[in-house]
Amino acid sequence: MTKKPKIKTIFKNDFQIVIDKPAHIMTHPDGRKNEYTLSDWLKDFAKKKFKKKTWQSFLKEVGEEGREGVVHRLDTGTTGVMIFALEKDAFNFLKRQFHSHASKKIYRAIVVGHIKNDTGIIDASISRSKSDFRKKNTKDFFTNDGKGDVTGKEREAVTRYKVIERLRSKTGNPFTLVECYPETGRTHQIRVHLKSIRHPILGDDLYGVGVNEKEKIQKEFKTKLTRPMLHAFSLKIKILDKDKTVKEKTFIAKEHADMKKVLRELGYKN
């Protein structure tokens, strides 16, 4: 099992906890790897918060076994705001908001190339990939069969975006810092959608450029690209406050050090 990372807490009360997720940690076990996950971290947190004799029975009431407290997820390489439930009513309350898309999430990403339009909507259903079980995909209408590398059920997926700034490396190659507002919550949605408009996220090995192009891009940067440059910047959601009163909150986490370094290398000033 991998070593335990340091987790920064943004907010906590008796009902939920909000963290700034670091990179390179899974949300919950996937059944294939024996790695320390955020689910494990939440159990460790519960052991400290609750009495030794009651923490296990507490977690049994808050979601699925192995995924206790988890109401949404971020990909392993994605950083930023995440919320977990610490109590049964809070779990159901938060989960309903994610299912109904009532929560509002903002992501920031650095993508390859200059996105042409300042704002836009990517409305493209997502299916499983036929060629790679790890991947999701959209239909590619430019292939011969008009379907492309997809199989199984199509799931509606919509992502709005806004260009923050178009940037260039020291050698002049184009990149874009973009803000994304997913209106649905499909697995890998932002990564798949940005790839579908031919602007994959920088550092994304699964949905990014090919091996040769990846090596060329890495030479553009002193900072090692070990993950997709994708960050969950903010989450607006209703939480349970004192006496289980409902309160709307917005939680924010600034970009992490590696992403900030890449942006500085691209000449981003803010």
Side-chain angles (χ1 to χ4, degrees):
M1 185 174 283
T2 54
K3 68 177 183 179
K4 301 177 182 180
K6 291 183 179 179
I7 306 290
K8 178 182 177 182
T9 300
I10 298 173
F11 171 88
K12 64 181 177 181
N13 63 11
D14 289 339
F15 307 108
Q16 54 265 305
I17 182 167
V18 182
I19 67 164
D20 184 355
K21 177 189 175 296
H24 311 299
I25 182 170
M26 294 191 296
T27 300
H28 51 69
D30 64 359
R32 296 189 297 270
K33 301 174 185 176
N34 184 28
E35 294 184 6
Y36 189 82
T37 67
L38 290 175
S39 291
D40 296 316
W41 175 84
L42 197 63
K43 290 175 185 176
D44 289 340
F45 175 82
K47 288 177 184 178
K48 295 177 183 178
K49 181 176 175 61
F50 303 98
K51 294 179 180 179
K52 290 182 179 180
K53 292 182 179 179
T54 61
W55 76 270
Q56 286 178 315
S57 60
F58 155 80
L59 283 176
K60 286 180 181 178
E61 298 179 354
V62 191
E64 299 175 37
E65 184 177 355
R67 302 184 182 188
E68 295 87 353
V70 176
V71 293
H72 71 127
R73 63 183 293 278
L74 292 178
D75 295 338
T76 301
T78 304
T79 54
V81 179
M82 281 194 79
I83 189 168
F84 295 91
L86 298 176
E87 187 263 354
K88 188 175 182 180
D89 289 340
F91 178 86
N92 294 329
F93 182 62
L94 295 171
K95 194 80 173 175
R96 281 197 299 271
Q97 291 180 74
F98 283 104
H99 278 171
S100 65
H101 314 303
S103 60
K104 301 300 179 185
K105 294 172 279 187
I106 298 176
Y107 290 78
R108 289 183 176 175
I110 306 170
V111 303
V112 178
H114 280 169
I115 296 178
K116 182 179 179 180
N117 297 321
D118 291 341
T119 61
I121 302 173
I122 307 170
D123 186 350
S125 296
I126 292 175
S127 305
R128 290 185 290 114
S129 165
K130 283 191 293 189
S131 63
D132 190 335
F133 74 92
R134 301 171 301 164
K135 296 172 71 173
K136 307 292 181 180
N137 219 336
T138 57
K139 277 188 177 180
D140 187 344
F141 294 101
F142 300 100
T143 59
N144 290 333
D145 62 4
K147 294 180 180 179
D149 182 27
V150 293
T151 186
K153 184 178 179 180
E154 292 184 47
R155 296 184 180 276
E156 178 190 9
V158 179
T159 304
R160 296 179 181 269
Y161 68 82
K162 178 180 74 175
V163 169
I164 298 176
E165 192 163 332
R166 295 175 182 88
L167 305 161
R168 288 191 182 274
S169 66
K170 289 183 178 180
T171 59
N173 286 326
F175 298 88
T176 303
L177 176 61
V178 62
E179 208 163 69
C180 297
Y181 318 99
E183 295 189 358
T184 50
R186 306 304 178 198
T187 300
H188 298 177
Q189 177 173 315
I190 293 173
R191 297 163 68 188
V192 173
H193 270 175
L194 288 172
K195 178 196 173 186
S196 76
I197 62 169
R198 308 302 192 262
H199 292 289
I201 295 175
L202 180 63
D204 193 337
D205 288 344
L206 194 59
Y207 295 103
V209 297
V211 175
N212 292 338
E213 186 66 18
K214 176 187 171 184
E215 291 177 357
K216 290 179 184 178
I217 289 176
Q218 179 60 75
K219 290 177 181 177
E220 299 276 324
F221 299 96
K222 294 179 182 178
T223 305
K224 187 71 174 174
L225 302 172
T226 62
R227 68 174 184 94
M229 292 291 103
L230 178 62
H231 178 73
F233 180 75
S234 72
L235 171 65
K236 184 177 183 181
I237 195 167
K238 292 177 181 177
I239 65 167
L240 296 184
D241 205 7
K242 294 178 181 179
D243 300 320
K244 293 191 176 180
T245 55
V246 174
K247 187 174 184 179
E248 188 171 72
K249 299 272 285 185
T250 299
F251 303 104
I252 294 174
K254 298 292 186 180
E255 293 91 342
H256 285 207
D258 59 343
M259 193 166 175
K260 287 180 179 178
K261 288 178 182 177
V262 170
L263 287 170
R264 281 198 296 269
E265 289 193 51
L266 291 171
Y268 184 64
K269 302 297 184 183
N270 292 348

